[in-house]
């Protein structure tokens, strides 16, 4: 289960959701601004009401690794329910965003009176941890082409919009962004995308990628398709 498949408000009645929302504070975040910074004290939990954001981490050697993208309905910063915790990642708005946030004391009071809210938050947190573990394993063990295909199919599922010629990943996504997301280099991403363009699998442009034959990428992601030749 992806975190976007389970909302913080799943299973809540309209009045319960309204009560949770009214206890939060709303914040507008412009594209390019950070919502949270890696290493800062984790004091609030956030819900992305509108827009999209990038979840990333800087490694000890200074390399930025993007873990995933967040869309409307995603929750992040759930680790803030643990006293003394720090944010393990940064979250940057890649579009103008509207965010709801609750400080630790407020969210704990809400959890105490709504068991379903607590279940949702726990599931979101554990699912996020599992996804990060899976992605670390992918970065360590899978060849670059498969990682790129897996990232594109994941983004298509989360952010894609069906158009006449395929599935458009409907968000600003540069080749450098894709390199950070897959733990590879800009050169490798450019080479792989160029080969896929020649094969008619994808069509890429400035901050846009169209998946023309999505099932071919699924085969590559599952290591069932022939690899690109160097």
């Amino acid at each position: 289960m992806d975190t976007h498949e389970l909302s913080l408000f799943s299973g809540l009645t309209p009045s319960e959701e309204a009560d949770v929302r009214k206890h939060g504070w709303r914040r507008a975040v412009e594209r390019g601004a950070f919502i949270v910074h890696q290493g800062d004290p984790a004091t609030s939990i956030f819900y992305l009401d509108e827009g999209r954001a990038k979840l990333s981490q800087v490694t000890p050697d200074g390399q930025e690794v993007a873990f995933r993208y967040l869309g409307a309905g995603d929750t992040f910063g759930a680790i803030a329910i643990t006293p003394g915790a720090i944010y393990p990642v940064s979250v940057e708005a890649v579009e103008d965003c509207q965010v709801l946030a609750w400080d630790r004391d407020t969210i704990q009071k809400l959890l105490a009176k709504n068991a379903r809210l607590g279940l949702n938050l726990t599931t979101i947190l554990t699912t996020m941890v599992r996804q990060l573990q899976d992605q670390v394993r992918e970065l360590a063990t899978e060849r670059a082409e498969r990682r790129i295909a897996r990232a594109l199919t994941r983004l298509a599922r989360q952010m894609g919009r069906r158009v006449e010629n395929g599935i458009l990943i409907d968000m600003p996504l540069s080749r450098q962004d894709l390199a950070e997301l897959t733990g590879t280099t800009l050169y490798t991403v450019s080479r792989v995308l160029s080969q896929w363009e020649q094969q008619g699998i994808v069509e890429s442009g400035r901050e846009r990628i169209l998946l023309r034959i999505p099932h071919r990428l699924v085969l590559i992601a599952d290591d069932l398709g022939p690899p690109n030749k160097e």
Side-chain angles (χ1 to χ4, degrees):
M1 176 187 293
D2 285 334
T3 55
H4 73 284
E5 295 173 352
L6 175 69
S7 169
L8 182 65
F9 304 121
S10 293
L12 271 63
T13 66
S15 62
E16 288 174 330
E17 178 176 342
D19 181 63
V20 175
R21 283 179 172 273
K22 79 177 183 182
H23 283 89
W25 47 272
R26 182 172 292 275
R27 175 181 169 191
V29 184
E30 294 183 352
R31 176 180 177 177
F34 283 85
I35 304 170
V36 301
H37 286 90
Q38 175 185 341
D40 282 354
T43 57
S44 297
I45 292 172
F46 299 86
Y47 177 84
L48 191 55
D49 230 3
E50 297 177 16
R52 295 185 175 100
K54 180 175 70 173
L55 189 154
S56 64
Q57 186 179 72
V58 177
T59 64
D61 61 1
Q63 180 182 0
E64 182 178 7
V65 177
F67 283 107
R68 68 186 301 263
Y69 283 82
L70 307 170
D74 277 330
T75 301
F76 57 97
I79 197 171
I81 62 175
T82 304
I86 63 172
Y87 293 119
V89 297
S90 296
V91 181
E92 178 187 1
V94 297
E95 298 176 350
D96 291 345
C97 294
Q98 289 287 333
V99 177
L100 275 173
W102 300 264
D103 62 43
R104 183 184 300 113
D105 289 343
T106 299
I107 202 71
Q108 286 179 340
K109 291 175 182 177
L110 291 169
L111 294 176
K113 67 178 184 179
N114 193 313
R116 181 54 194 257
L117 182 67
L119 176 62
N120 290 347
L121 192 59
T122 300
T123 304
I124 288 168
L125 180 58
T126 55
T127 301
M128 178 71 77
V129 170
R130 178 182 56 77
Q131 289 176 344
L132 294 179
Q133 291 173 335
D134 289 346
Q135 192 158 359
V136 169
R137 176 186 52 78
E138 290 174 13
L139 294 176
T141 63
E142 296 180 358
R143 57 191 174 87
E145 184 192 29
R146 188 179 182 191
R147 298 201 304 267
I148 295 168
R150 196 180 285 269
L152 288 176
T153 55
R154 186 181 293 125
L155 285 170
R157 186 172 64 250
Q158 294 176 325
M159 314 287 186
R161 175 167 58 89
R162 186 164 291 279
V163 295
E164 182 179 357
N165 297 324
I167 298 176
L168 178 66
I169 297 178
D170 193 20
M171 58 173 287
L173 183 72
S174 68
R175 293 188 175 192
Q176 181 61 44
D177 292 330
L178 192 54
E180 293 173 1
L181 189 62
T182 55
T184 186
T185 64
L186 177 59
Y187 169 80
T188 297
V189 168
S190 296
R191 173 181 58 79
V192 170
L193 289 183
S194 294
Q195 291 178 347
W196 287 347
E197 285 178 330
Q198 292 172 7
Q199 297 167 16
I201 299 173
V202 304
E203 179 183 309
S204 64
R206 183 175 177 83
E207 295 195 338
R208 68 181 296 276
I209 296 181
L210 173 68
L211 311 188
R212 296 180 63 88
I213 314 178
H215 72 271
R216 286 283 301 278
L217 285 179
V218 173
L219 292 177
I220 297 170
D222 291 339
D223 214 16
L224 300 174
N228 282 332
K229 297 180 179 179
E230 296 290 342

